[in-house]
Amino acid sequence: MTSTASTTSTTSKTTRAATDESPRSGPRVVPPRAPGDADVRVPYRDLLAFVAGVLVGRGLPENRSEAAAEALCHGDLTGFTSHGVTNLTRLYLPLLDSGRCDPRAEPRIVADHGASVLLDARRALGLWAAGEAMELAVERAHRYGVGMVSVRGATHFGCAGHHALRAVRHHMVGLVTANCGRQRIVRPVGGRSPLLGTNPLALAAPAGDRPPFVLDMATTVAPTGKVRAAARAGQRVPEGWLHDNDGAPVTDPAAFDRGEAHLSWLGGTPDTGAYKGFGLGLLVEVLSALVPGAGLGPSAAVPQAAEAKAGGPDDDIGCFLLAVAPGRLRSETEFLTDAAGLFGALLDCPPVRADEPVRYPGWPEDARCRDRRANGVPLGAALHRELLDLARQSGLPFPAPGGPAEAGSPA
């Protein structure tokens, strides 16, 4: 990174805490199936190498391509397949091929005040740049107890939870939010024009010897990726995901891209709490875009006609990355012990149904990740064919079906 501030810094190269091989308390169970699970499984490491090779072919330096591939494949490891390799040809390659993303861009530190940094990503690939920004936040948290990196000029970065988990590797709490740049997808409650994006946020925290807590969510009922995945599969979506201009539920996912349906905020309707999802979306817009000066969805510079359709490019995305080091405030050992107690108590809560034990966000994803590292990453038949075609076009070998044993977790 380059800097125009009086104090300069590069991303932290601190030694990563041992988490991939750390023991997990409690019985081992078969991880829950995720939507889109399929019978074609390929080894995780081989899939990672293939994705990295494709990105190198698009001009990414090798070290960046490896980090970007890990961020993209995180979605497939954890079950967030709408944010996994399905987006390689649909989102990231077009982003690079169009020139909207610069594969060799060097992010620049614009302002540096120790615990807080303003970073211009300069259209670097978000899959890589967001991780670098979180490492910088972690470095500052090591020094100050908290590190905040505010980013403008960013591009799509995949699963927010993947970047938040980087803080957990250092026994820290990580918070990541991102807006959708100037892309307008969701209407304000009571409004007729889309003004905001799905505006995701993620919080990751250590849980002692248990799987990390990871809340990774859009502020809408569902992200656009899940809607489009259902449309490609010819499936209906649940009532509550989409609504028409009059507020009636829509279950045809293809209606979204036809402009005949709109995403619903978390909470659904005003009577059931839509203002909470809308408020969270605005919270993300403030932290991610208003603070660093990134592209805003609601802007007087863009027409807001009632007939305006959702969409537009998600350029100049803003991100907010925060790392908190509890070990600078009190004993780190005590913190981790208390964290294990907190999340252990949740797991020990008597369930309503014996076959549906209580879990917390991050637990199912951790179990799924370990299974897929050991037994291969499942790919749907259509996606598998698509990646085989990409392999032929790129002159790269594609992983043969199978799954060698390999330990590890999302953290």
Side-chain angles (χ1 to χ4, degrees), residues 131-158:
E132 293 291 291
M134 178 52 86
E135 290 297 331
L136 177 57
V138 165
E139 177 200 331
R140 300 309 173 90
H142 273 299
R143 292 162 58 183
Y144 302 105
V146 63
M148 184 201 83
V149 178
S150 194
V151 183
R152 66 192 187 201
T155 62
H156 199 282
F157 64 27

Side-chain angles (χ1 to χ4, degrees), residues 11-393:
T11 49
S12 171
K13 303 300 180 185
T14 53
T15 303
R16 167 176 164 171
T19 54
D20 281 358
E21 303 297 334
S22 60
R24 302 293 193 223
S25 295
R28 298 300 298 152
V29 300
V30 176
R33 285 180 63 85
D37 274 12
D39 293 331
V40 179
R41 286 183 176 246
V42 298
Y44 168 66
R45 287 292 171 190
D46 294 345
L47 181 62
L48 204 64
F50 170 73
V51 173
V54 171
L55 294 174
V56 167
R58 288 310 202 278
L60 250 74
E62 188 171 340
N63 63 327
R64 295 188 185 188
S65 67
E66 292 170 355
E70 184 178 348
L72 186 60
C73 291
H74 175 87
D76 302 281
L77 276 182
T78 56
F80 292 116
T81 54
S82 62
H83 284 58
V85 292
T86 188
N87 281 336
L88 182 58
T89 59
R90 293 182 176 88
L91 196 163
Y92 295 104
L93 296 187
L95 191 65
L96 289 162
D97 293 344
S98 68
R100 290 171 51 216
C101 173
D102 180 355
R104 295 184 175 273
E106 291 293 340
R108 179 173 62 94
I109 292 177
V110 179
D112 190 335
H113 300 286
S116 62
V117 175
L118 173 60
L119 184 70
D120 186 344
R122 304 174 77 185
R123 297 185 294 111
L125 184 63
L127 291 168
W128 163 77
E132 293 291 291
M134 178 52 86
E135 290 297 331
L136 177 57
V138 165
E139 177 200 331
R140 300 309 173 90
H142 273 299
R143 292 162 58 183
Y144 302 105
V146 63
M148 184 201 83
V149 178
S150 194
V151 183
R152 66 192 187 201
T155 62
H156 199 282
F157 64 27
C159 293
H162 171 76
H163 306 295
L165 272 165
R166 286 177 171 267
V168 175
R169 298 172 180 174
H170 303 271
H171 297 161
M172 297 182 187
V173 177
L175 173 65
V176 176
T177 71
N179 83 332
C180 294
R182 297 184 179 89
Q183 188 177 63
R184 294 172 166 188
I185 302 172
V186 198
R187 300 176 173 193
V189 175
R192 296 194 66 87
S193 297
L195 293 179
L196 290 167
T198 54
N199 287 19
L201 64 88
L203 183 97
D209 60 351
R210 304 179 189 279
F213 166 71
V214 188
L215 176 66
D216 189 348
M217 53 175 266
T219 50
T220 49
V221 173
T224 56
K226 285 191 174 182
V227 175
R228 287 171 174 144
R232 289 193 297 271
Q235 301 170 343
R236 296 279 172 176
V237 296
E239 284 195 10
W241 282 26
L242 301 170
H243 62 273
D244 64 17
N245 288 338
D246 297 319
V250 175
T251 59
D252 175 13
F256 174 72
D257 279 327
R258 292 198 303 264
E260 299 169 1
H262 311 279
L263 278 174
S264 303
W265 292 108
L266 280 173
T269 68
D271 290 339
T272 58
Y275 280 100
K276 295 179 181 179
F278 176 40
L280 285 172
L282 284 172
L283 178 152
V284 170
E285 194 79 15
V286 168
L287 290 178
S288 305
L290 188 60
V291 171
L296 292 165
S299 170
V302 182
Q304 298 180 14
E307 67 272 19
K309 292 184 178 180
D314 54 349
D315 294 328
D316 194 12
I317 289 174
C319 310
F320 174 85
L321 303 102
L322 180 72
V324 179
R328 293 297 306 270
L329 302 174
R330 64 182 182 117
S331 164
E332 186 173 279
T333 300
E334 290 180 359
F335 165 73
L336 294 175
T337 299
D338 288 348
L342 165 64
F343 293 103
L346 293 172
L347 296 177
D348 292 339
C349 179
V352 173
R353 291 184 49 172
D355 61 341
E356 294 182 0
V358 175
R359 300 296 183 225
Y360 56 83
W363 192 99
E365 292 78 13
D366 181 89
R368 205 173 285 132
C369 172
R370 288 172 175 271
D371 170 71
R372 293 177 180 191
R373 283 181 179 269
N375 301 307
V377 178
L379 300 173
L383 176 59
H384 186 234
R385 290 193 300 270
E386 184 177 295
L387 294 176
L388 286 173
D389 288 342
L390 177 61
R392 285 190 288 269
Q393 296 166 14

